[in-house]
Amino acid sequence: AGQLVIGVLYFVLSALVLVPHHCLKITQSLKFVILVVLFLVLTVISGSINPPAEQKYEYFGLGEKLNLTFGNNTFSMIVREVKQDSKILVAEKEVTTSGYFLIVKVDVENLGSEAVDFKFEKDPQLKDSQDRRYTLHATSVPQGKLQPSVAKEVSYIFEIPKDASGLSFIVIDKTDVAKSVDLKR
């Protein structure tokens, strides 16, 4: 319905262009300014009517293999283990929290035929049952290139509150579908 109203308003605006300015009792330049302002207002209104596209998800469990595409490279990932701790070591310093650190251990394998760097375009996130999103606190991505058909263990560390439950590990790759792994927490 909103799009129909906007379409009718654009039609009225285009019809207003055909009306001579002396019939409107305004100058030619004022008519031009009014038309431009009305066009911009309609454009903003029509843009705000369309809701943003909702993210689509593929769902996986612990130990299930998922494929990821980054650039021209394809990888497989398996979330192997999830641990929690109240303190971690980062750059040889002990870090504590009032919540806890969730350590997600995954195996990543290069499915291509050449060695490549493994890095996400967007860092993985955690999402809980209250739709709160937690960003990456630290990671242990191996140095150097990831060789073809060789799996490497990578740890992702998140800082989350003690009341967080229903956690999902979310990975967004080049595809339009995010991968969501249920962490059973």
Side-chain angles (χ1 to χ4, degrees):
Q3 292 296 346
L4 181 63
V5 170
I6 294 298
V8 169
L9 290 175
Y10 272 117
F11 178 75
V12 169
L13 183 61
S14 63
L16 189 60
V17 170
L18 301 175
V19 176
H21 66 279
H22 63 274
C23 292
L24 299 173
K25 299 187 183 191
I26 57 174
T27 65
Q28 180 70 25
S29 57
L30 183 58
K31 177 183 173 187
F32 179 75
V33 169
I34 290 171
L35 289 173
V36 168
V37 168
L38 289 175
F39 177 78
L40 290 174
V41 167
L42 279 175
T43 302
V44 168
I45 291 171
S46 67
S48 65
I49 288 176
N50 291 333
E54 190 172 315
Q55 178 68 58
K56 295 177 185 173
Y57 290 93
E58 274 185 76
Y59 297 96
F60 299 88
L62 287 174
E64 289 185 54
K65 183 178 182 178
L66 54 121
N67 290 333
L68 304 168
T69 304
F70 297 106
N72 295 327
N73 304 312
T74 304
F75 302 92
S76 72
M77 176 185 279
I78 300 173
V79 178
R80 292 274 179 218
E81 181 182 6
V82 180
K83 298 187 324 184
Q84 69 183 47
D85 206 335
S86 60
K87 59 185 173 190
I88 59 170
L89 285 176
V90 177
E92 312 244 348
K93 293 183 182 178
E94 188 174 280
V95 179
T96 61
T97 180
S98 63
Y100 61 90
F101 293 103
L102 193 73
I103 302 155
V104 180
K105 292 189 177 194
V106 303
D107 289 338
V108 177
E109 182 180 340
N110 174 3
L111 298 178
S113 58
E114 296 180 18
V116 295
D117 291 320
F118 175 73
K119 55 186 167 189
F120 289 113
E121 293 167 10
K122 288 185 175 182
D123 286 337
Q125 296 181 346
L126 279 185
K127 183 173 96 169
D128 68 11
S129 59
Q130 298 177 43
D131 206 26
R132 296 181 293 189
R133 296 184 181 263
Y134 306 99
T135 58
L136 193 60
H137 183 79
T139 186
S140 69
V141 176
Q143 296 293 340
K145 296 194 177 285
L146 190 59
Q147 300 300 322
S149 301
V150 176
K152 293 286 185 178
E153 183 178 285
V154 179
S155 294
Y156 296 102
I157 302 170
F158 299 89
E159 182 179 16
I160 60 176
K162 289 182 180 179
D163 70 339
S165 63
L167 295 170
S168 296
F169 180 71
I170 309 290
V171 181
I172 299 173
D173 64 355
K174 181 179 167 182
T175 65
D176 293 335
V177 181
K179 286 33 172 196
S180 175
V181 179
D182 181 5
L183 299 181
K184 304 280 185 209
R185 296 218 168 237

